Amino acid sequence: MRTRRMVAAAAAAVALLSAGCAEEATRDAEGEIVEEGEMDVFSFAVGDCFSSPELGTADEPTEVGGVTAVPCSEPHQNEVYHLFDVEDGDFPGNEPIQDEAREGCLAEFEGYVDATFEESALDIGALWPTEGTWDDGDREVVCYVFALDGDDLEGSMEGSGV
């Protein structure tokens, strides 16, 4: 059994995108991304693929507001596989919310990829609310997969058994 780490970043309330500098990602009628472009992290859907933003560490997460979304048919680093909201109330703190994100993401991994986490060539990451975005009503955790070896992914990882 190999040891893995969960890469994580916290979602920010303010998008990192500069107005007018980048084209927005284009979705088709079914909601799939068909043209590369910028996307707000609050607009993710399961199955969305994106390039890696600059990430911090679990102790010092980087606030991420936007990413470059790409069609999953093109090489990409990450694929969203699960979205869920953490329980409302007072901000629980960084460590408890990271633990909840890790548990929630791990619980859904096998059902999406069709391989156990331990046997898979994929790892998981998450975006979760910060104390600042919590105050703005953010409760969403975004779970995503990426290649354990750091290579780009090609095609959707849904049901891939990878």
Side-chain angles (χ1 to χ4, degrees), residues 107-155:
E108 299 299 321
F109 179 88
E110 186 173 352
Y112 188 81
V113 176
D114 199 23
T116 67
F117 182 71
E118 293 77 19
E119 297 170 340
S120 177
L122 300 174
D123 208 342
I124 61 174
L127 302 170
W128 60 75
T130 64
E131 188 168 4
T133 63
W134 189 272
D135 291 342
D136 293 331
D138 179 21
R139 302 294 184 270
E140 185 174 63
V141 173
V142 177
C143 305
Y144 60 91
V145 295
F146 61 94
L148 189 59
D149 63 9
D151 286 347
D152 282 348
L153 302 173
E154 291 191 36

Side-chain angles (χ1 to χ4, degrees), residues 1 5 14 23 28 30 37 43 57 59 65 85 104 109 113 154:
M1 185 168 138
R5 64 186 174 92
V14 179
E23 294 289 322
D28 65 13
E30 288 78 40
S43 301
T57 64
D59 293 330
D85 287 343
F109 179 88
V113 176
E154 291 191 36

Side-chain angles (χ1 to χ4, degrees), residues 7-38:
V7 175
V14 179
L16 300 177
L17 309 175
S18 299
C21 290
E23 294 289 322
E24 288 188 27
T26 304
R27 293 184 185 274
D28 65 13
E30 288 78 40
E32 289 187 38
I33 296 168
V34 292
E35 192 171 316
E36 178 179 320
E38 298 303 315

